[in-house]
Amino acid sequence: QVQLVESGGGLVQAGDSLRLSCAASGRTFSSYAMGWFRQAPGKEREFVAVISASGGSTVYIYYADSVQGRFTISRDNAKNTAYLRMNSLKPEDTAVYYCAARGGLAAITFLKRTEADYWGQGTQVTVSS
């Protein structure tokens, strides 16, 4: 069982930056691919970014087109924490942001389809114009 707790959300102005954190419980954090997702009012939850599990020689990272070049996903396995650095925020980035974990084969593929093993409770990000 993995528990995920997001933090770092808030109210910012357009053009500002935020860094979200996702703290995970358990000893196997490095074996999970981690993803960030968001859900705006009246919309479905959507994929934002994903980073592969650690252990391989290559780290795989993918972003939604809408955040490519502005957001950066990272992880610190020593701290059992995943991060989402968000720069040049826009009003359309306003949403509840969730982190999620997926283990096993094809974890990145599943996460990009918003299919995860574990979800956090979410943190609100509001960007004013």
Side-chain angles (χ1 to χ4, degrees):
Q1 186 78 10
V2 175
Q3 292 185 326
L4 304 173
V5 179
E6 301 96 334
S7 61
L11 172 63
V12 297
Q13 293 186 333
D16 285 350
S17 298
L18 277 177
R19 189 181 77 162
L20 305 182
S21 298
C22 174
S25 64
R27 301 179 180 179
T28 59
F29 173 73
S30 62
S31 67
Y32 288 90
M34 298 297 297
W36 285 95
F37 306 82
R38 64 188 182 187
Q39 187 167 18
K43 295 186 177 181
E44 293 186 351
R45 189 173 300 185
E46 65 175 5
F47 163 77
V48 173
V50 64
I51 185 168
S52 59
S54 302
S57 59
T58 303
V59 176
Y60 296 95
I61 292 176
Y62 299 93
Y63 298 97
D65 291 343
S66 58
V67 307
Q68 180 77 48
R70 298 188 298 124
F71 290 12
T72 303
I73 189 172
S74 62
R75 64 189 302 158
D76 185 338
N77 293 327
K79 296 182 179 180
N80 275 16
T81 302
Y83 302 97
L84 184 69
R85 176 68 179 182
M86 306 185 294
N87 295 330
S88 303
L89 283 162
K90 306 175 181 179
E92 51 264 43
D93 294 319
T94 294
V96 177
Y97 283 71
Y98 300 89
C99 69
R102 177 93 188 194
L105 298 176
I108 287 181
T109 299
F110 283 112
L111 283 175
K112 292 171 74 175
R113 300 200 304 237
T114 70
E115 296 177 24
D117 292 328
Y118 305 102
W119 290 92
Q121 85 290 347
T123 185
Q124 176 71 46
V125 173
T126 303
V127 184
S128 64
S129 57

